[in-house]
């Protein structure tokens, strides 16, 4: 069985490509069911965030990645071969290493951020609830969550990082110097937008306005940061007074366009406007960059901003990599010994069958024995079989951890005449 | 110009060059310690330049406006003194990064293309108002230079932000815009006073030293008009437009061309 990964992230693909490959929650459920249904993959999980979209599958066939690509082409209309340079394909230990890195936050836009851990957990739970995560992906994701937690508790990777929120504050300071008289509009109420608003609010902004299509959440956020709710239909009229806009709606198209901003800038007499677009797909038409004194930062721009921070945190990243290596070794061991389970089970069944066959064969000659003596004979046979199997079972576990273990395990099967059971088992759907 | 002055000027030039390299290296290689050394080097070079000018005034005992090298050295000194003060007081980070190459190339130009004002000494000695006119006009030029530096910082920072880059090296846009305006206003005021003094001298001085077609006089007018227009536009509420910062730079370049490229026709 192979673990395979097909994906792209903020390093390999610009936001224009990522937004085409992003899976909404409802799409993920459907995709998971199709991957393990009509497309015949054994297991599947999807990790889709602002910065990455990755499909993890477990497949007995070697062509699992091709199947996944076919799924994308047929259901999502994405031709992976045409976008080949943006996608990465990983298999087995490479997949595990990558997911562990993702969960630890070293592959994140903001190194060490903890939000990704929750997103990995969500991906696992979604796959479990759709029945597409079984033994292999379940173990892989559980272990990634474990190493992710260890990375944050055993190293400093989660502390002092430059997050999107703090980066936004720094950028705002480069434009306005002081934020004391600035008004901020939170357009949409996503989690990252909320964090960003938190940092800006802590920096002493004059006023926070919150608006989204569902007013309830906006009201909650406004209460939390001492801001005010703005009806979604009215936010554009407010742009005259707003200095910083944080856009994070889940709208499929642009919410902020060039015409609207041009009008607002005329009213503002070209006073600088700082726009942060952290939505995927994007909320803001990148054409607004061409307008004087409009400064737009999308999710990719923020990566550049935190790049220096990444360099500073290189030593912590090395510590996390060591943890990942430890966990990888454990996972590798588990993967290998996991293959011995069926063989051990077959051996035990074989011994039980032999014992039972011998008892049946000698049934007539042992009929004079009382119940107690009969149990004694059964016990003798069971003990004998266990003692006989003890050393082979120990050796089987040792073989599993060796490089050529599969050859030796195959030899054990042949020694005990279990080849048929092995083939039957591997042929199971 | 005395030999001692020339030597100190050359040493100062070398230090300006070093400061330029350190500032640029710090910026492009991301070494913040290089900036600190660049600033130290610039301050030391300013001190050396001041001592050179002092030596010249003490030893030559002639007006400072008799030699273009001295005039430019004086402008450079005033620019550096004001610039370093602004850098500290106004929070205009790394202004020195612009001042150091300006100082270096200014002195280099004056040495490579020396100009002597043969008759100016006698004229200036006879009419002190003319000396004051030159000094005030040069101070106005220093204001324009600082304003242009701040405008350049604004445009560079804005360009970086447009491209999605955070540049901690340069000042915030609000600070750069404020300094641009402040020094354009100061420079314009001084320059206007300087021009006024020149006009008073031209019409009031006995004899006829300048004719109406003097190129330096005519060239001063576009500079004055450019800064007047900038201040007008800013006054009517157009203070955030980027093109106004370009206007300041153009105005400064006109003033620079006038200082270095043209001479009064005293014939």
């Amino acid at each position: 069985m192979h673990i395979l990964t097909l994906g792209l992230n903020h390093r390999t693909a610009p936001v224009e490509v990522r937004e085409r490959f992003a899976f909404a929650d409802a799409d993920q459920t459907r995709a998971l069911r199709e991957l393990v249904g009509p497309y015949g993959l054994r297991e599947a999980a999807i990790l889709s965030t602002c910065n990455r979209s990755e499909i993890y599958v477990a497949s007995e066939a070697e062509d699992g990645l091709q199947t996944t690509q076919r799924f994308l082409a047929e259901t999502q209309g994405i031709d992976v071969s045409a976008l080949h340079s943006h996608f990465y394909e990983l298999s087995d230990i490479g997949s595990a290493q990558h997911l562990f890195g993702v969960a630890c936050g070293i592959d994140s836009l903001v190194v060490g951020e903890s939000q990704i851990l929750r997103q990995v957990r969500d991906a696992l739970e979604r796959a479990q609830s759709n029945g597409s995560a079984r033994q292999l992906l379940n173990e892989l994701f559980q272990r990634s969550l474990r190493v992710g937690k260890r990375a944050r508790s055993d190293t400093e990777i989660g502390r002092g990082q430059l997050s999107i929120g703090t980066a936004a504050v720094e950028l705002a300071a480069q434009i306005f110097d002081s934020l004391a008289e600035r008004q901020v509009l939170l357009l949409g109420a996503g989690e990252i937008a909320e964090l960003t608003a938190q940092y800006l609010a802590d920096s002493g902004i004059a006023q926070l306005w919150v608006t989204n299509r569902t007013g309830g959440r906006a009201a909650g956020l406004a209460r939390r940061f001492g801001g005010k709710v703005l009806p979604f239909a009215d936010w554009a009229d407010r742009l005259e007074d707003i200095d910083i806009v944080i856009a994070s709606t889940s709208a499929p198209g642009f919410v902020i366009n060039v015409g609207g901003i041009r009008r607002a800038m005329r009213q503002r007499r070209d006073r600088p406007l700082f726009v942060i677009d952290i939505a995927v797909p994007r909320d803001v038409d990148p054409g607004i960059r061409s307008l004087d004194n409009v400064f737009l930062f999308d999710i990719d721009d923020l990566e550049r901003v935190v790049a220096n921070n990444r360099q500073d945190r290189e030593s912590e990243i090395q510590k996390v990599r060591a943890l990942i290596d430890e966990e990888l070794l454990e996972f590798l061991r588990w993967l290998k010994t996991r293959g011995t389970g069926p063989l051990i089970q077959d051996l035990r069944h074989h011994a039980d069958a032999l014992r039972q066959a011998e008892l049946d064969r000698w049934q007539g000659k042992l009929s004079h024995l009382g119940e107690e003596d009969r149990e004694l004979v059964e016990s003798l046979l069971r003990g004998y079989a266990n003692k006989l199997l003890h050393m082979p079972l120990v050796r089987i576990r040792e073989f599993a951890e060796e490089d050529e273990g599969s050859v030796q395990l195959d030899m054990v099967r042949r020694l005990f005449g279990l080849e048929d059971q092995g083939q039957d088992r591997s042929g199971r759907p | 110009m005395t030999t001692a002055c020339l030597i100190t000027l050359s040493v100062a030039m070398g230090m300006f060059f070093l400061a330029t390299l350190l500032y640029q290296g710090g910026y492009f290689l991301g070494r913040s310690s290089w900036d600190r050394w660049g600033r130290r080097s610039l301050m030391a070079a300013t001190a050396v330049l001041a001592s050179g000018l002092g030596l010249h005034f003490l030893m030559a005992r002639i007006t400072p406006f008799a030699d273009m090298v001295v005039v430019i050295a004086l402008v450079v000194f005033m620019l550096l003194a004001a610039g370093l003060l602004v850098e500290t007081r106004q929070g205009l980070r790394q202004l020195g990064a612009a001042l150091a190459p300006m100082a270096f190339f200014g002195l280099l130009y004056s040495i490579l293309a020396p100009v002597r004002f043969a008759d100016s000494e006698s004229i200036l000695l006879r009419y002190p108002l003319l000396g004051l006119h030159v000094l005030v006009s040069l101070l106005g030029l220093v204001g324009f230079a600082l304003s242009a530096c701040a405008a350049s910082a604004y445009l560079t920072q804005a360009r970086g932000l447009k491209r999605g880059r955070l540049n901690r090296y340069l000042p915030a846009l609000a600070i750069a815009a404020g300094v641009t305006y402040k020094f354009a206003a100061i420079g314009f005021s001084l320059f206007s006073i300087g021009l006024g003094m020149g006009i008073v001298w031209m019409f009031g001085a006995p004899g006829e030293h300048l004719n109406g077609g003097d190129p330096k006089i005519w060239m001063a007018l576009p500079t004055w008009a450019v800064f007047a227009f900038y201040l007008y536009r800013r006054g009517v509420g157009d203070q955030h437009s980027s093109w106004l910062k370009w206007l300041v730079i153009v105005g400064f370049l006109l003033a620079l061309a006038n200082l270095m490229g043209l001479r009064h026709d005293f014939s």
Side-chain angles (χ1 to χ4, degrees):
Chain A
M1 184 94 79
H2 298 281
I3 302 172
L4 305 162
T5 306
L6 178 69
L8 44 73
N9 64 19
H10 56 98
R11 288 209 192 89
T12 65
V15 68
E16 302 86 45
V17 177
R18 292 207 305 279
E19 62 193 6
R20 287 175 56 197
F21 191 52
F23 287 87
D25 285 359
D27 295 341
Q28 286 188 40
T29 302
R30 183 182 51 77
L32 289 172
R33 287 181 183 157
E34 288 189 6
L35 281 166
V36 295
Y39 287 89
L41 293 164
R42 177 95 175 160
E43 301 180 44
I46 294 173
L47 180 60
S48 185
T49 70
C50 302
N51 294 317
R52 69 186 64 250
S53 288
E54 293 171 342
I55 300 178
Y56 292 83
V57 298
S59 166
E60 284 168 12
E62 296 281 341
D63 64 349
L65 278 174
Q66 281 81 0
T67 307
T68 311
Q69 290 183 11
R70 191 160 50 81
F71 158 78
L72 285 174
E74 291 171 2
T75 63
Q76 308 288 107
I78 297 169
D79 182 4
V80 175
S81 58
L83 299 168
H84 191 71
S85 60
H86 297 301
F87 279 87
Y88 39 80
E89 295 175 357
L90 304 162
S91 60
D92 299 322
I93 205 71
S95 288
Q97 190 173 28
H98 176 76
L99 182 61
F100 290 177
V102 168
C104 289
I106 60 171
D107 200 48
S108 292
L109 178 68
V110 179
V111 173
E113 54 99 4
S114 57
Q115 200 186 4
I116 187 66
L117 209 54
R118 192 185 54 70
Q119 288 163 334
V120 171
R121 187 179 295 113
D122 288 348
L124 173 62
E125 286 172 0
R126 192 174 293 111
Q128 284 172 336
S129 63
N130 286 290
S132 66
R134 297 180 205 170
Q135 191 191 26
L136 204 53
L137 288 190
N138 192 50
E139 188 69 23
L140 176 70
F141 273 70
Q142 294 287 6
R143 282 176 185 269
S144 72
L145 290 171
R146 189 166 69 198
V147 72
K149 282 179 197 162
R150 274 188 72 195
R152 284 164 184 86
S153 62
D154 296 1
T155 75
E156 300 283 318
I157 197 77
R159 297 185 188 98
Q161 75 268 27
L162 187 61
S163 67
I164 288 174
T166 51
V169 172
E170 280 220 33
L171 287 163
Q174 288 301 99
I175 296 169
F176 304 110
D177 189 34
S178 163
L179 301 183
E181 293 170 10
R182 307 297 158 197
Q183 297 197 33
V184 179
L185 170 66
L186 202 56
L187 188 62
E191 201 163 330
I192 299 176
E194 195 179 319
L195 278 171
T196 309
Q198 170 81 68
Y199 282 111
L200 286 166
D202 291 348
S203 306
I205 53 167
Q207 182 66 57
L208 175 74
W209 298 94
V210 188
T211 184
N212 70 348
R213 285 195 170 86
T214 53
R217 186 160 161 70
L221 276 177
R223 250 196 319 276
R224 206 173 124 201
F225 300 125
K228 290 179 182 169
V229 178
L230 197 61
F232 195 76
D234 297 345
W235 67 264
D237 300 330
R238 267 285 161 189
L239 277 181
E240 187 181 346
D241 305 317
I242 302 291
D243 301 295
I244 302 168
V245 179
I246 305 165
S248 72
T249 76
S250 52
F254 294 142
V255 177
I256 297 177
N257 54 41
V258 178
I261 294 294
R262 187 176 283 129
R263 267 193 306 280
M265 289 306 283
R266 267 200 298 271
Q267 291 166 339
R268 299 165 60 81
R269 307 192 78 153
D270 281 336
R271 207 152 35 83
L273 179 67
F274 178 30
V275 183
I276 306 166
D277 183 4
I278 42 186
V280 176
R282 286 171 297 173
D283 279 344
V284 185
D285 184 345
I288 70 164
R289 280 185 214 273
S290 63
L291 301 177
D292 195 20
N293 282 316
V294 178
F295 302 99
L296 167 66
F297 280 74
D298 65 24
I299 205 91
D300 279 359
D301 299 323
L302 290 168
E303 184 189 13
R304 280 191 285 274
V305 172
V306 298
N308 291 337
N309 185 248
R310 178 182 286 272
Q311 279 174 0
D312 296 343
R313 304 170 65 71
E314 198 53 47
S315 63
E316 292 308 309
I317 291 174
Q318 291 309 320
K319 288 180 198 166
V320 171
R321 285 197 200 286
L323 282 182
I324 290 174
D325 287 346
E326 271 178 38
E327 196 63 45
L328 267 181
L329 276 177
E330 284 292 314
F331 183 62
L332 204 58
R333 198 168 289 139
W334 177 84
L335 270 181
K336 285 175 173 173
T337 53
R338 168 186 164 272
T340 63
L343 174 58
I344 291 169
Q345 206 178 358
D346 288 346
L347 265 177
R348 287 195 190 283
H349 282 150
H350 182 62
D352 282 347
L354 285 177
R355 179 174 54 80
Q356 197 57 48
E358 285 305 292
L359 280 173
D360 291 345
R361 193 156 73 86
W362 293 96
Q363 182 72 28
K365 293 191 177 175
L366 296 176
S367 58
H368 64 284
L369 294 179
E371 189 63 30
E372 202 173 318
D373 290 334
R374 190 185 293 272
E375 280 179 9
L376 182 65
V377 171
E378 276 191 39
S379 172
L380 276 170
L381 283 173
R382 195 178 293 117
Y384 175 74
N386 283 345
K387 279 194 166 48
L388 194 69
L389 285 179
H390 175 70
M391 193 47 71
L393 293 182
V394 170
R395 291 282 180 258
I396 283 170
R397 291 192 180 98
E398 287 174 359
F399 291 159
E401 293 187 21
E402 292 174 8
D403 290 340
E404 299 294 323
S406 60
V407 177
Q408 288 160 315
L409 292 176
D410 198 39
M411 182 66 77
V412 173
R413 277 196 183 279
R414 288 171 64 191
L415 272 174
F416 286 91
L418 300 172
E419 298 99 312
D420 293 343
Q421 284 97 320
Q423 281 164 10
D424 288 350
R425 197 178 293 279
S426 65
R428 265 180 235 163
Chain B
M1 169 157 255
T2 60
T3 312
C5 181
L6 267 177
I7 290 169
T8 47
L9 216 62
S10 304
V11 172
M13 253 182 69
M15 292 170 83
F16 286 134
F17 185 64
L18 179 68
T20 304
L21 291 181
L22 287 168
Y23 272 121
Q24 303 303 319
Y27 179 70
F28 287 110
L29 303 176
R31 306 279 174 86
S32 55
S33 61
W34 288 26
D35 295 340
R36 286 197 293 277
W37 282 106
R39 186 174 160 77
R40 283 172 195 159
S41 181
L42 187 64
M43 289 170 82
T46 308
V48 171
L49 181 66
S51 62
L53 284 170
L55 276 175
H56 173 75
F57 297 147
L58 284 173
M59 294 169 80
R61 291 188 177 278
I62 54 168
T63 170
F65 308 114
D67 194 317
M68 191 63 160
V69 177
V70 183
V71 170
I72 289 180
L74 194 64
V75 174
V76 166
F77 171 72
M78 289 191 294
L79 177 69
L80 288 167
L84 288 170
L85 198 67
V86 170
E87 194 181 86
T88 312
R89 301 289 291 273
Q90 298 283 329
L92 192 68
R93 295 195 292 268
Q94 315 304 350
L95 184 61
L99 296 178
M102 280 171 83
F104 172 73
F105 287 112
L107 292 180
L108 188 69
Y109 169 83
S110 66
I111 288 172
L112 292 180
V115 178
R116 285 199 65 83
F117 308 127
D119 301 325
S120 61
E121 188 182 353
S122 58
I123 294 166
L124 288 166
L125 285 174
R126 265 188 282 154
Y127 308 108
L129 187 64
L130 189 61
L132 206 56
H133 148 74
V134 174
L135 186 68
V136 174
S137 300
L138 290 179
L139 280 171
L141 184 69
V142 167
F144 293 156
L146 290 174
S147 180
C149 283
S152 306
Y154 180 98
L155 291 168
T156 312
Q157 179 70 282
R159 189 181 154 96
L161 287 166
K162 280 275 181 200
R163 293 179 175 186
R165 292 186 196 132
L166 170 66
N167 191 339
R168 293 188 184 91
Y169 192 84
L170 292 170
L173 292 181
I175 290 179
V179 173
T180 303
Y181 167 65
K182 203 174 284 181
F183 280 93
I186 293 170
F188 180 75
S189 306
L190 291 170
F191 195 67
S192 300
I193 294 169
L195 283 184
M197 285 175 166
I199 291 165
V200 168
W201 172 81
M202 197 169 75
F203 289 111
E208 194 171 316
H209 300 287
L210 289 173
N211 59 44
D214 185 79
K216 207 168 181 75
I217 293 173
W218 286 108
M219 189 63 183
L221 294 180
T223 306
W224 187 88
V226 163
F227 277 96
F229 183 67
Y230 164 78
L231 291 170
Y232 164 73
R233 289 301 308 174
R234 203 184 183 283
V236 297
D238 191 18
Q239 65 263 43
H240 299 291
S241 299
S242 295
W243 69 271
L244 281 181
K245 276 76 182 179
W246 282 110
L247 202 63
V248 166
I249 294 169
V250 169
F252 169 64
L253 291 176
L254 285 172
L256 203 62
N258 197 5
L259 173 74
M260 294 185 164
L262 296 173
R263 294 174 58 191
H264 280 300
D265 181 10
F266 285 109
S267 60

